[in-house]
Amino acid sequence: MNPGSAPVFTVLVLGGTSEARALAARLAGRPGLRVVSSLAGRVSNPSLPAGEVRVGGFGGAAGLAAYARAEGVGAVVDATHPFAETISAHAVEACAVAGLPLLRLARPGWTPGEGDDWHGAGSLDEAAALLPRLGTRVFLTTGRQGLASFAPVDLWFLIRCVDPPSGPLPARHEVLLARGPYYRGAERALMARFAIDVLVTKNSGGPLTAGKLDAARDLQIPVVMVSRPAAAATESVTAVGGAVRWVENHIARPGRP
Ligand code: NAP
């Protein structure tokens, strides 16, 4: 710190989502505030947030607490994906150990509307078990992880993910590598081209990937909706603006729990 300059408050944003990038963009560059975004390093060529970026796991909750101490972190915003439950649990544990305030920023989940034919599943395994009675040509959009749940299912799958999947896959499939956002018309055309008759998705929420749900409704295709894991036990907001205000409050009153 330069003599006479204001102390710097460091906020750690656990990221990997569009909300995390939006939060970093709104906070980075403010005087007296250092914004460090953390990415798991799962995706090749990720969209990088504004401000500082670090990449890779911390080595569990203890590693995260040690990192926060070493970097002089004053507050943590967990803006990871709603299904990234391990890092969220680690954030709760690490912040308790390090005595740091923690906010969970998670967009609201999707809810069914008129004309939707949704079938709830509590896990990817449950989703896989539901499929044989719902369709024969599956559009699988649950991401690269956990695809082994679908490996034993004897149906045809269109598997869409950002990077190539590894591990066991269903015998009959095609992989489509793509990165959102995805829009209704293009999603409808894709589903029609592959004669899709059932869609599987996690309840990620948000507008950027909701086009598939509109398309499924248009085409009267059932949707297997995998519900979210239990929310992390900490204060939470659903919008970036709420997280910005929370950080501002902590800059104004550092050390507030
Ligand atoms: P996860 O299962 O909750 O985390 C597994 C491990 O990855 C964590 O224990 C941690 O390793 C590391 N990790 C996860 N997020 C991290 C972050 N932001 N910074 C540093 N390390 C992180 O997470 P995941 O489901 O694999 O998701 C990984 C990332 O992809 C997250 O940042 C998430 O926002 C994003 N993402 C996930 C999904 C999804 O459906 N799960 C979808 C889109 C984006 P250590 O224990 O070594 O610290």
Side-chain angles (χ1 to χ4, degrees):
M1 198 199 325
N2 296 328
S5 65
V8 170
F9 185 89
T10 300
V11 61
L12 174 64
V13 179
L14 302 173
T17 59
S18 57
E19 290 78 10
R21 282 190 295 281
L23 178 63
R26 287 190 50 184
L27 295 175
R30 294 193 183 198
L33 182 62
R34 173 181 172 229
V35 181
V36 183
S37 292
S38 176
L39 304 178
R42 226 43 109 242
V43 173
S44 59
N45 193 21
S47 318
L48 288 180
E52 288 178 44
V53 179
R54 66 159 301 286
V55 180
F58 295 97
L64 175 49
Y67 171 88
R69 273 196 214 100
E71 291 293 320
V73 170
V76 179
V77 180
D78 170 13
T80 58
H81 192 270
F83 281 81
E85 57 182 324
T86 306
I87 187 71
S88 289
H90 289 175
V92 170
E93 199 181 324
C95 288
V97 167
L100 288 173
L102 169 68
L103 181 74
R104 177 69 169 125
L105 165 60
R107 61 185 97 127
W110 293 311
T111 51
E114 206 181 320
D116 283 329
D117 178 18
W118 286 17
H119 301 258
S123 65
L124 293 177
D125 283 349
E126 253 183 68
L130 282 175
L131 284 173
R133 65 179 173 83
L134 293 174
T136 57
R137 294 182 62 83
V138 184
F139 186 19
L140 186 53
T141 65
T142 50
R144 194 165 55 130
Q145 298 178 67
L147 291 175
S149 295
F150 300 91
V153 181
D154 184 24
L155 302 171
W156 186 87
F157 287 80
L158 177 63
I159 301 171
R160 182 167 68 189
C161 35
V162 176
D163 284 314
S166 54
L169 297 176
R172 295 187 289 128
H173 73 267
E174 182 164 334
V175 172
L176 178 62
L177 298 181
R179 193 188 296 251
Y182 304 108
Y183 300 106
R184 181 181 203 147
E187 293 288 68
R188 197 170 47 222
L190 180 74
M191 290 190 209
R193 178 153 67 91
F194 285 94
I196 296 298
D197 58 12
V198 58
L199 166 70
V200 186
T201 177
K202 291 174 175 171
N203 194 343
S204 300
L208 301 182
T209 57
K212 59 191 166 187
L213 301 175
D214 298 323
R217 189 183 315 118
D218 293 343
L219 296 167
Q220 297 187 311
I221 287 173
V223 175
V224 177
M225 184 62 68
V226 181
S227 54
R228 292 180 171 196
T234 190
E235 186 181 351
S236 67
V237 292
T238 55
V240 173
V244 171
R245 283 189 292 280
W246 183 87
V247 171
E248 287 168 346
N249 284 341
H250 283 283
I251 301 169
R253 296 169 59 194
R256 185 170 158 261

